[in-house]
Amino acid sequence: MAIDAHTDLVAPTDAAVIVSALNKSFDVRPVLTDLSLELRAGEFVALLGRSGSGKSTFLRVLGALDKEVEGYIRVPRRRAVVFQEPRLMPWLPVLRNVTMGLPQTAATKTKARRALAEVGLEHKADVWPRTLSGGEAQRVALARAMVREPQLLLLDEPFGALDALTRIRMHGLLRDLYLRHSPAVLLVTHDVDEAILLADRILVLTEGRISLDLPVNIASPRQRDDRAFSALRRRLLAELGVEEG
């Protein structure tokens, strides 16, 4: 096992993440197989794959949540993870959820209020999580991630439990946060349209290996009825083994 976390990467490229010959198994079942990948600093990458393909496992490895792996991994020291569930502590008000795990100083609280303002929830700083809607709770989770000023932001199906209209609003918010703070982003998702709308580059993970790696060369704002959008969508669905009727 080799996992090295560095605040500043010294590499021949502008890579924020370097993974080489990564292998991960559960008991005797391989999940990630000889996986190699680079993510550039400030790059937004979406990772697609069928259920069980190893997407969330790979994200957990990059977040140092799963260290039982073989291979070489180099990631920034400042990382943050947002999951499908907001994972807020119900006994802490919103502001304390955002600052959880950080020094409880006046400077930290100021940064946390600024992060809440960026997601439109500064007025909710002192309320309890149970009073929040699903979309608001996930915005708090984003604020908790961004207050840590991550060089690498890891997102594991963060909008999967939200309704369609809330997802659309969250897409815009995430893109705004990304453009404002410029972390490297890895978004794990099952939603092909979501990947095309948000990412600069899309990967497909098939049986533990990267089977497709494509740039998204579509001008913003991206529209689903755009011909290039439709063509890329068909290419990705074909790689995932899905035929559109």
Side-chain angles (χ1 to χ4, degrees):
M1 178 180 71
I3 295 183
D4 294 327
H6 300 272
T7 301
D8 298 305
L9 293 175
V10 180
T13 68
D14 60 347
V17 174
I18 301 174
V19 177
S20 179
L22 177 65
N23 290 278
K24 166 69 180 178
S25 298
F26 292 127
D27 295 325
V28 296
R29 183 174 70 86
V31 179
L32 302 172
T33 306
D34 199 29
L35 193 154
S36 296
L37 177 67
E38 289 191 12
L39 272 64
R40 296 188 303 274
E43 184 179 28
F44 195 128
V45 177
L47 181 63
L48 295 167
R50 300 182 187 184
S51 296
S53 61
K55 303 185 304 300
S56 293
T57 298
F58 181 53
L59 181 140
R60 290 177 61 84
V61 169
L62 293 185
L65 301 175
D66 190 339
K67 299 183 179 181
E68 298 301 318
V69 297
E70 296 177 354
Y72 178 76
I73 304 170
R74 197 172 186 184
V75 294
R77 186 174 300 280
R78 297 201 314 271
R79 304 182 297 277
V81 184
V82 178
F83 299 95
Q84 183 172 336
E85 308 83 18
R87 301 194 178 187
L88 305 182
M89 301 298 104
W91 56 86
L92 296 176
V94 163
L95 186 68
R96 283 286 288 110
N97 267 282
V98 173
T99 63
M100 189 170 56
L102 299 175
Q104 297 302 304
T105 63
T108 298
K109 292 176 182 178
T110 298
K111 286 175 60 178
R113 289 186 182 277
R114 190 180 305 126
L116 283 171
E118 286 189 327
V119 301
L121 289 178
E122 186 177 18
H123 62 293
K124 298 279 189 177
D126 299 320
V127 308
W128 300 104
R130 67 175 179 273
T131 68
L132 302 175
S133 68
E136 288 173 336
Q138 200 64 320
R139 281 191 274 162
V140 173
L142 281 172
R144 183 174 57 196
M146 299 312 299
V147 78
R148 286 155 172 78
E149 300 178 343
Q151 297 162 294
L152 175 62
L153 178 61
L154 301 166
L155 304 163
D156 192 2
E157 293 278 357
F159 312 133
L162 303 178
D163 64 82
L165 292 178
T166 304
R167 283 174 72 104
I168 292 171
R169 289 193 289 268
M170 293 296 286
H171 288 163
L173 174 61
L174 176 58
R175 192 70 188 177
D176 288 346
L177 291 172
Y178 163 69
L179 293 173
R180 188 176 299 129
H181 296 278
S182 300
V185 177
L186 181 69
L187 168 68
V188 167
T189 179
H190 285 94
D191 188 331
V192 172
D193 284 15
E194 181 173 83
I196 300 172
L197 287 168
L198 293 173
D200 304 314
R201 176 180 164 208
I202 300 176
L203 312 174
V204 177
L205 191 63
T206 305
E207 296 181 353
R209 300 176 184 269
I210 300 297
S211 62
L212 190 65
D213 184 342
L214 293 175
V216 182
N217 297 318
I218 303 175
S220 296
R222 295 171 184 170
Q223 304 292 334
R224 287 178 171 85
D225 58 357
D226 181 272
R227 189 171 297 178
F229 191 109
S230 298
L232 180 55
R233 187 176 191 274
R234 287 194 298 271
R235 178 71 181 90
L236 293 168
L237 287 173
E239 186 68 23
L240 292 165
V242 178
E243 292 188 12
E244 287 190 285

